[in-house]
Amino acid sequence: MARMKFLCDAERCIECNGCVTACKSEHEVPWGVNRRRVVTINDGVPGEKSISVACMHCSDAPCMAVCPVDCFYRTDDGVVLHDKDLCIGCGYCFYACPFGAPQFPQAGAFGLRGKMDKCTFCNGGPEEDRSAVEFQKYGRNRLAEGKLPACAEMCSTKALLGGDGDVIADIYRERVFKRGKGSEVWGWGTAYGPGKPGAAPAPAAGAKS
Amino acid sequence: MTQTKTKLGRRNFILAASAGGAATAAAIVARTASKPKPVAADSDKRSGKGYQVSEHINNYYRTTKV
């Protein structure tokens, strides 16, 4: 069974925000909601790194753990989805998520928080596949059409990889091998410390974190 | 003659009562067994067509190797 994953190659990402635009356009995401965005570390400093972030469809998802109405579920492909009919818009998932993936439309008066919205890995929701109701609530179901997420497919530099985790890992491993140095995945230095092969260089003086 | 008629009526009543009881019990069992489980209905709603390798997807994987 395939397990769907995203991986952003920080060496290739040029901060074009094409993935963000593709996502908003494909799913007709309302104003104020960004299912995906590009984060730049040390912006403006030579050697800055960018990474495209959305729901990472965690294997042990904190949002699922904290949801008081249990509206989250995981598909057979490892995609974390939610049921908007059950969501009460409490925002617990937003506080729990380390990536800030859950989004809440704030179109209502008095700061009213609507139903949570997040990246679906282009796999819709619990409604019937490719139905009008599913599109209206969750966006297009590209996986059911035999396609992959629009953000990954249209990435011009193929920095953002999405699909079967095993295939994605092989593609990335091959890239690292061709570069002839260590892994440049964003966060490597944070996770494994400096001084190791492929560790992120120390930020320049005055660099923003 | 009258006594015989009374006896037959009582037997018929007992037979009818026992048959009716058995039929009611069978109906209750059948209703309980055929009641759909709400959990199963919910999981059906959530099971959709997922990832399947297609020519389109293989083409995407090929472009990432550039």
Side-chain angles (χ1 to χ4, degrees):
Chain A
M1 184 62 73
R3 188 167 191 83
M4 298 296 104
K5 284 293 170 195
F6 281 123
L7 194 155
C8 189
D9 188 346
E11 282 294 291
R12 284 195 178 204
C13 183
I14 56 171
E15 201 192 349
C16 71
N17 276 284
C19 48
V20 180
T21 312
C23 177
K24 280 195 81 94
S25 170
E26 186 77 358
H27 304 298
E28 295 179 16
V29 178
W31 281 100
V33 173
N34 273 319
R35 291 183 177 180
R36 175 170 288 284
R37 64 212 172 279
V38 177
V39 176
T40 304
I41 309 296
N42 295 335
D43 200 359
V45 177
E48 67 174 33
K49 289 273 191 288
S50 295
I51 181 175
S52 178
V53 187
C55 174
M56 298 301 278
H57 302 278
C58 307
S59 304
D60 186 10
C63 54
M64 285 181 93
V66 299
C67 180
V69 291
D70 200 19
C71 76
F72 290 92
Y73 64 99
R74 185 179 285 107
T75 68
D76 292 340
D77 301 319
V79 180
V80 176
L81 297 176
H82 71 298
D83 190 338
K84 282 192 178 179
D85 292 342
L86 296 177
C87 177
I88 55 172
C90 68
Y92 276 23
C93 51
F94 177 76
Y95 301 131
C97 177
F99 302 102
Q103 301 281 302
F104 293 89
Q106 295 183 347
F110 310 114
L112 179 73
R113 211 159 22 194
K115 307 267 186 189
M116 189 272 277
D117 191 273
K118 76 170 190 72
C119 160
T120 61
F121 207 89
C122 288
N123 198 12
E127 314 294 343
E128 190 190 338
D129 278 350
R130 303 172 65 186
S131 63
V133 184
E134 185 187 53
F135 178 76
Q136 191 253 325
K137 285 184 187 170
Y138 307 98
R140 201 170 299 282
N141 192 339
R142 290 172 59 91
L143 243 59
E145 295 171 9
K147 297 174 183 172
L148 285 170
C151 52
E153 280 198 6
M154 70 82 57
C155 179
S156 55
T157 58
K158 293 289 173 264
L160 181 62
L161 302 170
D164 182 352
D166 292 339
V167 179
I168 295 304
D170 283 344
I171 291 166
Y172 188 72
R173 193 179 300 117
E174 208 170 295
R175 282 185 191 179
V176 171
F177 187 73
K178 274 186 189 166
R179 284 174 197 156
K181 42 185 183 169
S183 170
E184 263 90 15
V185 176
W186 178 79
W188 183 276
T190 309
Y192 302 106
K196 295 192 175 182
K208 287 176 260 177
S209 59
Chain B
M1 189 71 180
T2 319
Q3 204 177 10
T4 320
K5 267 188 180 173
T6 315
K7 271 185 181 173
L8 281 171
R10 188 164 58 213
R11 282 176 185 168
N12 284 339
F13 172 74
I14 292 167
L15 274 171
S18 59
T24 311
I28 289 169
V29 168
R31 261 183 71 183
T32 315
S34 65
K35 196 180 276 182
K37 290 176 183 174
V39 177
D42 195 36
S43 63
D44 283 342
K45 192 187 167 198
R46 290 176 174 191
S47 65
K49 206 175 175 186
Y51 174 77
Q52 61 228 303
V53 179
S54 63
E55 197 184 335
H56 181 94
I57 289 178
N58 279 331
N59 196 37
Y60 164 73
Y61 288 146
R62 188 182 55 76
T63 60
T64 59
K65 289 170 185 166
V66 176

